[in-house]
């Protein structure tokens, strides 16, 4: 309930957001992506914020949200040291990723 109050989500939006975040992390851990503790905390925070924005803009498909979360985690790992800003490119030599 804290998420709903803090982010002005209704209960259905909160359920969708939490479920999508959980699915994304289960998918990442299933393929044994090695994250340092710092990467783990940072990636979880970025993914939650990104998915929250999508839920606020009307996305309700948990699987699609989870897939976007996994893709974002992979992008963060592919571009270490890049600061994620929603709507801007993540750039690394040889890679440009936009969300």
């Amino acid at each position: 309930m804290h998420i709903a109050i803090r982010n002005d989500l209704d209960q259905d939006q909160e359920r969708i957001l939490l479920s999508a975040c959980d699915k994304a992390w289960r998918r990442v851990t299933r393929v044994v992506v090695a994250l340092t503790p710092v990467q783990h905390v940072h990636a979880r925070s970025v993914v939650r914020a990104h998915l929250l924005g999508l839920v606020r803009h009307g996305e309700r498909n948990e699987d699609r949200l989870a897939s976007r979360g996994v893709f974002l985690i992979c992008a963060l790992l592919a571009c270490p040291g890049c600061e994620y800003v929603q709507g801007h490119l993540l750039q690394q030599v040889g890679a440009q990723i936009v969300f």
Side-chain angles (χ1 to χ4, degrees), residues 13-89:
Q13 290 172 314
E14 176 185 359
R15 180 193 56 75
I16 290 167
L17 176 62
L18 293 174
S19 178
C21 286
D22 288 343
K23 282 183 182 184
W25 282 106
R26 280 195 306 274
R27 290 176 184 177
V28 168
T29 57
R30 201 174 322 145
V31 295
V32 194
V33 173
L35 296 171
T36 68
V38 171
Q39 288 174 317
H40 185 269
V41 170
H42 174 69
R44 283 189 78 99
S45 173
V46 169
V47 168
R48 273 192 300 254
H50 181 70
L51 296 183
L52 174 61
L54 295 174
V55 169
R56 280 186 171 161
H57 284 95
E59 180 61 69
R60 295 293 183 267
N61 185 304
E62 294 173 20
D63 289 324
R64 191 168 30 240
L65 285 163
S67 293
R68 292 291 302 261
V70 171
F71 186 67
L72 179 54
I73 292 165
C74 293
L76 292 170
L77 293 173
C79 300
C82 295
E83 184 177 341
Y84 170 75
V85 178
Q86 191 164 350
H88 292 89
L89 291 173

